[in-house]
Amino acid sequence: MAAESVFTIDDRSSGDYSTGTGGSWRLVTDGVMGGVSAGELSVDEINKRPCLRLRGMVSTDNNGGFIQAALDLKEDLLRDASAYEGIVIDVYGNDESYNLHLRQDGLWLPWQSFRASFTSSPQWQTHYLPFADFTAYKTSAKLKPGRLTRIGLIAIGRDFAADLCLGKIGYYRSP
């Protein structure tokens, strides 16, 4: 799919955990709720392309099962994606399935989100994730792209070795 318009949230040109548009990526694991998954977030380069790398072991032991690269959206410019159709990501991975989670104003419980899945491969790929394809999780709220508060890249739900690199993320609008 060729996108007519893309607003880049992060193209990984910063060389650190910051996005260049405000905010920084951080690691969140199921340890916040007693789980035992272990992960790390690093700045890396794959095939001469800078990326943010999320890797670790996801374990469902002790009611756990996730590791996440989270970006809190503090700038109004980032929080309002209502003019766009969805999220576009460039990723490189290990042939596993991952999620992209969105949070918005009005979600109070930490597990509430809107979720879309994608599969990575050991080559750079672009995935377009339309807002219409995100499903509500543990909430009856409807996704409101004009009220976003966080984006999360997540390895979740089963025991596996996670290794996902993010090269670019943004909002897109189709022609």
Side-chain angles (χ1 to χ4, degrees):
M1 171 189 296
E4 174 182 283
S5 178
V6 174
F7 173 80
T8 301
I9 296 168
D10 189 8
D11 64 4
R12 299 309 311 136
S13 63
S14 69
D16 58 22
Y17 297 106
S18 66
T19 65
T21 55
S24 292
W25 292 96
R26 64 186 173 92
L27 177 69
V28 179
T29 71
D30 58 18
V32 299
M33 53 188 255
V36 296
S37 297
E40 68 178 1
L41 199 56
S42 62
V43 176
D44 208 336
E45 186 175 294
I46 302 238
N47 294 343
K48 299 181 181 179
R49 186 166 179 187
C51 62
L52 181 75
R53 191 170 201 169
L54 173 68
R55 72 179 140 182
M57 293 301 300
V58 178
S59 172
T60 55
D61 290 347
N62 209 29
N63 295 317
F66 76 90
I67 61 173
Q68 173 181 194
L71 176 64
D72 291 324
L73 305 174
K74 296 180 181 175
E75 303 294 324
D76 288 343
L77 182 67
L78 298 175
R79 292 172 50 95
D80 185 359
S82 59
Y84 296 92
E85 184 178 331
I87 296 191
V88 57
I89 55 173
D90 290 351
V91 293
Y92 184 105
N94 60 346
D95 285 325
E96 292 286 353
S97 179
Y98 294 91
N99 280 10
L100 188 116
H101 290 191
L102 301 175
R103 289 188 48 85
Q104 68 187 22
D105 291 337
L107 297 182
W108 303 108
L109 301 172
W111 49 81
Q112 293 176 312
S113 63
F114 299 91
R115 301 175 172 194
S117 296
F118 62 93
T119 301
S120 67
S121 69
Q123 63 186 5
W124 284 106
Q125 289 184 303
T126 301
H127 294 276
Y128 291 87
L129 305 169
F131 290 130
D133 289 354
F134 281 78
T135 57
Y137 182 78
K138 304 264 183 178
T139 180
S140 60
K142 301 291 182 209
L143 177 60
K144 295 183 176 142
R147 296 176 39 199
L148 300 178
T149 60
R150 178 188 280 179
I151 294 173
L153 288 168
I154 304 181
I156 190 169
R158 65 195 187 290
D159 297 328
F160 74 104
D163 192 354
L164 181 69
C165 295
L166 173 70
K168 188 175 185 179
I169 186 168
Y171 302 131
Y172 77 92
R173 183 173 38 238
S174 295

